[in-house]
Amino acid sequence: MLSAIVLLTCIICFIAYRYYGNFLELRCGIDETRETPACAINDGVDYVPTRASVLFGHHFSSIAGAGPIVGPIIAAAAFGWGPTWLWILFGAIFVGGVHDFGSTVMSLHYRGRSIVETCRNLVGETTGRFFLIFVLLALVYVIIVFLDLTAGSFLTRPAVATSSGWFVLSALGFGAVISRTRIPFRKAVPIFILITYSGLAVGHFFPLEGLSKNTWLVAVLVYCYVAAILPVNVLMQPRDFLSATFLYAIIALGIAGLLFSNASSQLAMTMEFDSAKLGMMIPFLFITVACGACSGFHRIVCSGTTSKQIRSEGDIKKITYGGMLVEGVLATFAVACVAVLGEIVNNNPVATFAQGAAVFFSSLGFSKDFGVTFAMLAVSTFLLTTLDTCTRLTRFLVEELFNWHNAHSRYFGTFAVLIVPALFAFQTYTAPNGTVVPAWRAIWPLFGATNQLLAALALVTFTVFLKSRRIAFGFALIPAVLMVCMPMLALGIMSWTFAEAFLQSRQWMTAVLGTVSLAMFLLGLFVVSMSARFVGGRSPPDFYEPAKTGG
């Protein structure tokens, strides 16, 4: 059963890429002769024309992180693998894929500007400024969550910490070779893939043991700062290309292992509609799965770093729509990992993914210990990628907000961005039932709701963009309506729940979460209503149209 689900997902996603992806290109008027911002600006730091294969690795590693692993595993354990899988499949093809494709198209038409700048130009200055608050909060959520998960994985599996450090050094070497030597790219790739994967042996023999979680948090924060200020072709691009190979290996080995293992699901297809841990399936299934089906954070990556590196509009479908479909496959495999175990191990979705993957790898002859280490290393590379990409994107927004572009903004802006996540990452939270959990577990539902609402606002903006060009926009409007309803309902429920919990516990973090939930609900209501004016009848401002380069 599990192997059939994963194989069917791969087949359906391939068909969707071939046909629905072509539909999106035709409907949006993709023109390969139009000059992209990467080619027009090409500053060697953020705007760098990049081959599609390398950029796909960066893009996928940035949008994935632990999102398509943590969310689907939590949702499947609460609501069953059936509804979780169906939402992943439907969402990736018709909602998340459209969202990512449209976000990139819009950013290219605005010289690679961010989601905030695009929103400001399309639906007005005031709405754009409120939209900026959404984006900044979503980015802060991501950094807090992934900081904790990364430090926790290094603490639990010291070998992974060593291997991750080796991986970063390998990526720096790869970047130096392809940018400063005459060694052909095709020859350098297999050499550095071999060097990178040898880090598994290095980690096995030299695990970084004896360090506390707080020490790892500090180390990861320092890494985020350094990686976020470096030019993209020094670390980000080569590292993301190499990290994508972990994904390919995980999916290939996982599917092969599924076919040979004859593993059956220990998890029910459907469970109760009202989960004791998460709440009602509608809306909490949608916001819990998050990145596995649709994510507003993807819009930030699409318009923040990806659009600044695309060298031809013909690469948009390959990188963004294709990236979302591959993420859907990864999310489905994550569901299979928790299904084969029957529960979330030690209340840790990342460990659950690693142990479930190890079950499938073992049918191919790999030891369970190797399988767990390899899977956790793959997740940690995604986490590190998302962390420093997210830090860089937040710095872009801060620079836009204050019109701060000088020789020092890159350094001071990055430092300022990391202050709030650093404060929250060291905190714990006592749930209403008395259990003490990391801060990220308390924040995850709020992150999911804000993330999904951000996606809804991005789809609404895309609808306005299409209307401004007199293009039929129903394929964007329908998912936009769905994505508005689910997170708004979830934020309303969470505001009430946190208010009740605060009256009982008087915890400051409960008060903060409740206040933020209510504020995001009201802010979302305002931004959606302001944006809906342009969908309903009022014409949006003129949009930027880049010049053609000929041909």
Side-chain angles (χ1 to χ4, degrees):
M1 175 62 76
L2 293 179
S3 58
I5 291 171
V6 176
L7 283 175
L8 185 60
T9 301
C10 292
I11 293 171
I12 293 175
C13 285
F14 175 79
I15 295 172
Y17 176 82
R18 176 68 177 83
Y19 294 102
Y20 199 64
N22 289 349
F23 162 79
L24 293 175
E25 285 189 316
L26 291 172
R27 181 61 63 89
C28 295
I30 296 302
D31 185 354
E32 295 188 17
T33 67
R34 197 153 38 209
E35 187 178 41
T36 64
C39 298
I41 300 174
N42 195 2
D43 61 6
V45 178
D46 297 317
Y47 290 83
V48 180
T50 307
R51 66 173 71 214
S53 59
V54 175
L55 184 53
F56 180 89
H58 155 70
H59 177 79
F60 182 82
S61 299
S62 298
I63 65 173
I69 294 170
V70 173
I73 285 177
I74 294 175
F79 301 114
W81 63 262
T84 304
W85 174 58
L86 289 176
W87 168 235
I88 289 170
L89 194 60
F90 175 85
I93 295 171
F94 297 109
V95 184
V98 173
H99 170 274
D100 293 8
F101 185 91
S103 298
T104 309
V105 168
M106 285 191 292
S107 184
L108 289 178
H109 281 274
Y110 283 92
R111 297 182 64 82
R113 297 292 184 88
S114 73
I115 178 178
V116 175
E117 188 70 20
T118 306
C119 180
R120 184 181 295 123
N121 287 331
L122 282 169
V123 296
E125 182 72 24
T126 302
T127 308
R129 288 189 176 276
F130 280 113
F131 200 50
L132 174 60
I133 299 174
F134 261 104
V135 176
L136 288 174
L137 280 173
L139 288 170
V140 170
Y141 291 156
V142 171
I143 297 174
I144 293 172
V145 170
F146 290 178
L147 266 176
D148 194 285
L149 286 172
T150 304
S153 66
F154 289 171
L155 180 67
T156 304
R157 205 84 179 178
V160 173
T162 304
S163 299
S164 296
W166 179 270
F167 167 73
V168 172
L169 294 176
S170 301
L172 287 169
F174 183 43
V177 166
I178 61 178
S179 62
R180 298 182 182 180
T181 71
R182 295 184 177 180
I183 298 177
F185 178 80
R186 293 182 182 274
K187 291 184 177 180
V189 167
I191 295 173
F192 277 92
I193 288 178
L194 181 62
I195 292 174
T196 300
Y197 279 65
S198 67
L200 286 165
V202 176
H204 176 75
F205 290 108
F206 303 100
L208 287 172
E209 299 175 318
L211 298 179
S212 67
K213 184 177 180 180
N214 286 348
T215 302
W216 282 122
L217 285 171
V218 173
V220 175
L221 283 167
V222 171
Y223 165 80
C224 288
Y225 179 83
V226 174
I229 64 175
L230 289 173
V232 293
N233 58 349
V234 172
L235 175 61
M236 179 180 287
Q237 287 180 351
R239 179 211 55 204
D240 294 350
F241 177 84
L242 292 174
S243 69
T245 66
F246 284 104
L247 160 76
Y248 309 145
I250 285 285
I251 292 180
L253 292 174
I255 292 177
L258 270 168
L259 294 175
F260 285 101
S261 68
N262 293 320
S264 59
S265 176
Q266 305 301 312
L267 202 65
M269 180 177 178
T270 59
M271 297 186 186
E272 294 183 0
F273 182 84
D274 190 359
S275 168
K277 293 184 178 180
L278 295 182
M280 294 182 292
M281 184 182 296
I282 298 176
F284 289 103
L285 168 66
F286 298 87
I287 68 167
T288 303
V289 170
C291 303
C294 182
S295 170
F297 174 67
H298 291 191
R299 170 69 184 275
I300 305 171
V301 175
C302 290
S303 65
T305 57
T306 301
S307 65
K308 294 177 175 63
Q309 300 174 66
I310 288 179
R311 63 181 182 180
S312 169
E313 287 192 8
D315 293 338
I316 298 175
K317 184 183 82 168
K318 302 173 189 174
I319 295 164
T320 60
Y321 190 68
M324 183 65 247
L325 294 180
V326 174
E327 189 165 5
V329 173
L330 178 59
T332 303
F333 180 68
V335 171
C337 288
V338 69
V340 76
L341 298 176
E343 62 179 358
I344 299 179
V345 179
N346 296 327
N347 205 29
N348 187 330
V350 173
T352 302
F353 174 79
Q355 293 196 28
V359 171
F360 303 133
F361 297 161
S362 64
S363 64
L364 300 176
F366 296 103
S367 69
K368 185 175 182 181
D369 185 68
F370 171 84
V372 171
T373 300
F374 180 68
M376 290 196 72
L377 176 59
V379 175
S380 72
T381 60
F382 297 154
L383 289 169
L384 290 173
T385 298
T386 303
L387 275 170
D388 65 67
T389 299
C390 196
T391 304
R392 184 184 293 260
L393 293 172
T394 310
R395 188 246 301 170
F396 288 162
L397 293 177
V398 172
E399 289 176 337
E400 280 189 19
L401 179 64
F402 297 105
N403 195 23
W404 190 20
H405 298 280
N406 56 52
H408 305 292
S409 62
R410 185 163 35 137
Y411 306 100
F412 292 113
T414 303
F415 179 78
V417 161
L418 291 171
I419 292 175
V420 174
L423 292 175
F424 266 87
F426 290 94
Q427 304 297 320
T428 57
Y429 172 72
T430 303
N433 60 7
T435 58
V436 179
V437 297
W440 77 266
R441 286 304 296 266
I443 290 173
W444 184 267
L446 188 54
F447 158 69
T450 304
N451 187 39
Q452 299 299 81
L453 188 53
L454 180 60
L457 298 176
L459 284 165
V460 170
T461 306
F462 184 42
T463 302
V464 175
F465 173 82
L466 293 170
K467 182 181 178 182
S468 72
R469 306 189 73 194
R470 295 177 174 83
I471 296 174
F473 51 80
F475 71 97
L477 180 60
I478 294 173
V481 172
L482 173 67
M483 296 306 296
V484 166
C485 294
M486 295 303 159
M488 288 296 288
L489 179 58
L491 284 170
I493 294 173
M494 283 191 290
S495 299
W496 180 263
T497 303
F498 281 126
E500 287 186 325
F502 175 72
L503 292 176
Q504 296 176 1
S505 64
R506 302 291 180 178
Q507 290 189 73
W508 70 271
M509 188 174 287
T510 303
V512 169
L513 294 175
T515 302
V516 172
S517 299
L518 180 59
M520 296 304 287
F521 175 81
L522 297 175
L523 189 59
L525 195 61
F526 172 78
V527 175
V528 169
S529 62
M530 293 293 289
S531 303
R533 296 181 304 163
F534 297 104
V535 178
R538 182 177 171 183
S539 298
D542 292 336
F543 55 88
Y544 167 79
E545 185 74 68
K548 293 187 178 182
T549 58

